[in-house]
Amino acid sequence: MSWMWLIYLFIGYLLGSIPFALVIGKFFYHTDVRQYGSGNLGGTNAGRVLGKKAGVATIVLDVLKVVAAVAFVTLVFEAREAGIWAGVAAAFGHCYPLFAHFKGGKAAATLVGFLLATAIFTFHDAWFVLIPLLAFFVTLFFFKMVSLSSICMALVSSLYITLMQDNIMIMIASWLLSLLVIYRHRANIQRILHHEESKITWL
C-alpha cells in the first residue's frame, strides 16, 4: 500500500467527520443535540430533538458527505478501489468525528451514502443500492425498528457485493463497514433482545 492510500483515507475521514447534526442544531436551533435524546450525532436523533426538517436535512447531508468522499478519490485520483476505502473511512469519521470529540452517529445514513456512491462511481449498477434499501424498508415495514432495518441493510449490502463481484479488497471494505454498523447498534441489539427497542408509529 502506497503513501497515497493514507491521503485517500484521510480525505474520507475528514469529510465523514463533519458533524452535520451538530452544525444544524447549533446554527439554526441553538441546540446541542448531544445533550438530548440518545445523544448521537445522527439524523434519527436530530429529527427526534430538532424536528422532521432538521432530521431529514441531517440524513441527506450525512449521505452526501460519503458520496463526496468516494467521488473525490475515485474521479480526482482515478483510484476506484481506493474510493471504496475512502467511503469506509468517511463512515468511521461519522462515527468517531475529529470535530466532535470522536462521538458521532451510528453509520446508517453513511452506509446509504457508501452504497449510493459505489453504485454510481464503482459498480455503475443501481442494484447495489436498491437491493439493500429494499431490505431496509421491508424490515422496517414488518418490525417497525430503524435499528434492525439498518443492520439488515448492512448485511444484505455486503452479501450482495460479495456475490456480485470478485474484488477481495472491496469485499473486505464492505464487510468492515457492515461490522461497524452492527457494532454501533450494539445497545439497540440488546434492547431488541429484551423487547425494549423503540418502534416507529408512522408506518
Side-chain angles (χ1 to χ4, degrees):
M1 183 179 293
S2 70
W3 282 103
M4 284 301 297
W5 272 78
L6 295 178
I7 296 176
Y8 304 147
L9 295 175
F10 188 63
I11 289 171
Y13 176 75
L14 281 183
L15 287 171
S17 286
I18 302 173
F20 284 113
L22 185 62
V23 172
I24 291 171
K26 285 195 170 184
F27 188 81
F28 293 103
Y29 298 87
H30 307 292
T31 300
D32 187 338
V33 297
R34 295 172 297 183
Q35 305 301 319
Y36 303 93
S38 66
N40 288 309
L41 289 178
T44 300
N45 194 49
R48 184 183 299 117
V49 174
L50 305 173
K52 183 178 179 180
K53 289 183 179 179
V56 171
T58 299
I59 291 171
V60 170
L61 290 170
D62 284 344
V63 168
L64 292 178
K65 67 186 181 183
V66 183
V67 174
V70 176
F72 185 80
V73 172
T74 302
L75 299 178
V76 174
F77 295 100
E78 298 183 350
R80 171 178 173 268
E81 190 176 288
I84 291 277
W85 283 93
V88 174
F92 270 88
H94 174 73
C95 295
Y96 307 102
L98 178 64
F99 308 121
H101 305 293
F102 304 102
K103 296 180 180 180
K106 294 186 177 180
T110 50
L111 172 61
V112 175
F114 175 84
L115 295 173
L116 178 60
T118 52
I120 295 171
F121 300 105
T122 306
F123 303 119
H124 309 292
D125 185 346
W127 289 113
F128 280 89
V129 64
L130 292 178
I131 287 179
L133 282 176
L134 179 62
F136 176 89
F137 286 111
V138 168
T139 306
L140 190 64
F141 178 80
F142 283 107
F143 297 98
K144 306 295 188 295
M145 290 181 283
V146 174
S147 56
L148 180 61
S149 302
S150 299
I151 292 169
C152 287
M153 176 173 63
L155 292 174
V156 168
S157 70
S158 290
L159 285 170
Y160 190 74
I161 286 173
T162 299
L163 290 172
M164 298 304 294
Q165 59 86 53
D166 57 5
N167 186 311
I168 189 65
M169 292 300 292
I170 292 177
M171 292 181 198
I172 292 172
S174 176
W175 281 106
L176 185 61
L177 181 51
S178 291
L179 289 175
L180 176 65
V181 171
I182 294 170
Y183 176 75
R184 294 294 292 175
H185 284 86
R186 61 194 184 280
N188 302 86
I189 293 172
Q190 288 298 318
R191 289 195 293 271
I192 291 171
L193 293 175
H194 290 92
H195 306 287
E196 297 172 349
E197 179 70 341
S198 299
K199 295 185 179 182
I200 61 171
T201 58
W202 50 266
L203 186 63

